[in-house]
Amino acid sequence: MSDKIPVTVLTGYLGAGKTTLLNRILSEPHGQKFAVIVNEFGEIGIDNDLVVGADEEVFEMNNGCICCTVRGDLIRIIDGLMRRKGKFDAIIVETTGLADPAPVAQTFFVDENVGKRAKLDAVVTVADARWLKDRLRDAPEAKNQIAFADVILVNKTDLVSDADLREIEARIRGINPYAKLHRTQRCAIPLPEVLGRNAFDLDRILDIEPAFLEEGNGHDHDHHHDHDHGHGHDHDHGGLKHYHDEDMQSLSVKSEKPLNPDKFFPWIQNLVAQEGQKILRCKGILSFKDDPERFVFQGVHMMLDGDHQRPWKDGEERLSRAVFIGRELPEEMIRKGFAECVA
């Protein structure tokens, strides 16, 4: 799996700070070669001092990154990038502020040439702490961007009070309990928190799995202090109510028994074929019977991608776990279907 070039999709509502984040990535001396795909060079405002030569579609940055604008087709551009001499360490795709990230993310599942050489690493969403609540009310795209994310930067935190910030984070958790949240000002964040996240690796997500999604606990919040993951702030709800977003849900399923791949694959393929419009994002780490390696999968609507990741370590608990985020999820159907995949 590691020979594929990781792709980070950068999304966020207009003015939230995506460009600031992009300029940070492009100007830090990280010593890596990035290919950056932006929507429109004109409107994105990449810091011109960084740009070396800009022809119509591809321009070089003086720190070794190359940038190109998506005026045409994303697949064509990625294909062209892959053919260039001098490979890159990663590709970053910046979507327009109004865009639903789904079609961009799906590109890495749909096109065979692209899929062979690149993999979706993570969707990173920049949210404006001051305006997010309003946007969630009036802009469905803003909600999609939150629901879709693996990593969320709650940016411009200096412009809101602490109580407001906690409230915003509770709203975000109500939509997407699995994303890793970072509070930032001017998008200042260590790049490893944004790039090379290996979104497949649910372990990070499951660290912060909210207790209120665990099966069978009603609303008893006491037991969740047993998981001490050093994420105290995620569990200290400070008396805040949990938001359950009226039109987004998320659910997680797990099995301690190994799964049968001959049951699992037809089931998940059938599920996304039938219900894919409702499922924004799904991903999981699976333990198959008689298989020494962890299998990871992720999906965007109808598109699925999966691969063996690495051998299970000695003494590692071989749990299968998957998460689903979407609208009007057929929860019973998913839970029952997953349970029936046990070997």
Side-chain angles (χ1 to χ4, degrees):
M1 263 180 89
S2 55
D3 50 355
K4 291 187 182 182
I5 296 176
V7 179
T8 303
V9 175
L10 191 54
T11 178
Y13 214 68
L14 301 163
K18 283 191 317 241
T19 308
T20 311
L21 178 59
L22 200 52
N23 279 323
R24 273 190 193 279
I25 293 170
L26 290 175
S27 53
E28 284 197 17
H30 40 63
Q32 288 185 292
K33 279 191 79 155
F34 293 131
V36 180
I37 302 176
V38 297
N39 270 290
E40 286 290 344
F41 179 48
E43 65 186 52
I44 178 77
I46 287 180
D47 194 342
N48 277 328
D49 311 343
L50 295 171
V51 178
V52 181
D55 57 31
E56 174 60 2
E57 213 157 43
V58 177
F59 43 98
E60 307 264 346
M61 314 298 283
N62 56 18
N63 67 346
C65 300
I66 66 168
C67 287
C68 39
T69 52
V70 182
R71 292 216 170 79
D73 186 8
L74 189 56
I75 291 178
R76 191 191 75 229
I77 286 189
I78 293 168
D79 241 19
L81 283 176
M82 296 290 195
R83 293 208 175 95
R84 282 176 74 99
K85 299 183 289 295
K87 283 282 190 252
F88 350 96
D89 301 297
I91 296 174
I92 299 162
V93 185
E94 187 272 350
T95 65
T96 60
L98 293 168
D100 178 352
V104 175
Q106 281 179 317
T107 306
F108 298 94
F109 297 80
V110 182
D111 183 73
E112 219 172 297
N113 285 332
V114 172
K116 276 210 283 279
R117 292 176 290 186
K119 62 167 186 181
L120 180 61
D121 181 72
V123 176
V124 176
T125 297
V126 182
D128 182 328
R130 196 164 166 194
W131 293 109
L132 184 66
K133 279 203 304 225
D134 296 350
R135 290 298 78 84
L136 290 177
R137 252 202 317 279
D138 63 24
E141 305 85 8
K143 195 176 273 191
N144 280 347
Q145 291 169 357
I146 296 290
F148 232 85
D150 301 294
V151 178
I152 297 171
L153 273 57
V154 181
N155 194 34
K156 307 189 187 181
T157 53
D158 45 335
L159 303 180
V160 295
S161 72
D162 238 23
D164 279 348
L165 196 52
R166 286 212 307 274
E167 168 92 357
I168 289 156
E169 290 181 347
R171 285 294 307 272
I172 290 174
R173 286 262 161 267
I175 296 167
N176 181 345
Y178 301 114
K180 188 91 166 75
L181 285 187
H182 296 279
R183 299 179 174 187
T184 59
Q185 294 174 19
R186 289 173 290 287
C187 288
I189 187 170
L191 292 186
E193 295 291 352
V194 179
L195 303 172
R197 296 304 293 160
N198 196 2
F200 273 137
D201 204 347
L202 271 188
D203 298 353
R204 282 202 186 87
I205 296 163
L206 298 168
D207 281 358
I208 54 174
E209 182 173 8
F212 60 89
L213 283 179
E214 286 171 13
E215 288 95 319
N217 66 344
H219 281 274
D220 139 36
H221 295 304
D222 300 335
H223 76 292
H224 66 239
H225 296 288
D226 315 357
H227 325 249
D228 181 7
H229 296 293
H231 287 288
H233 61 274
D234 277 319
H235 295 309
D236 166 21
H237 300 298
L240 274 177
K241 57 182 184 292
H242 286 306
Y243 283 95
H244 286 282
D245 197 81
E246 54 296 339
D247 73 347
M248 284 281 182
Q249 294 99 25
S250 56
L251 72 108
S252 66
V253 289
K254 55 178 180 261
S255 165
E256 284 161 20
K257 303 191 182 104
L259 304 184
N260 175 346
D262 298 333
K263 289 181 183 169
F264 177 78
F265 290 118
W267 171 73
I268 191 89
Q269 277 155 352
N270 186 41
L271 176 70
V272 299
Q274 274 182 22
E275 305 287 340
Q277 279 308 341
K278 296 177 181 169
I279 300 170
L280 290 182
R281 203 75 200 269
C282 62
K283 44 191 152 174
I285 295 176
L286 307 171
S287 169
F288 288 134
K289 190 175 183 324
D290 303 328
D291 185 342
E293 297 202 353
R294 293 158 49 121
F295 189 90
V296 290
F297 79 92
Q298 63 169 328
V300 172
H301 289 311
M302 277 83 168
M303 308 291 164
L304 283 171
D305 186 18
D307 211 338
H308 281 98
Q309 182 194 30
R310 61 167 173 80
W312 289 97
K313 297 185 183 123
D314 286 345
E316 185 174 15
E317 193 180 4
R318 295 196 180 192
L319 278 179
S320 293
R321 333 186 54 159
V323 299
F324 297 83
I325 295 176
R327 289 187 163 82
E328 300 165 19
L329 289 177
E331 179 167 350
E332 280 316 297
M333 186 171 131
I334 292 174
R335 290 195 186 285
K336 187 169 170 295
F338 183 79
E340 284 168 1
C341 294
V342 167

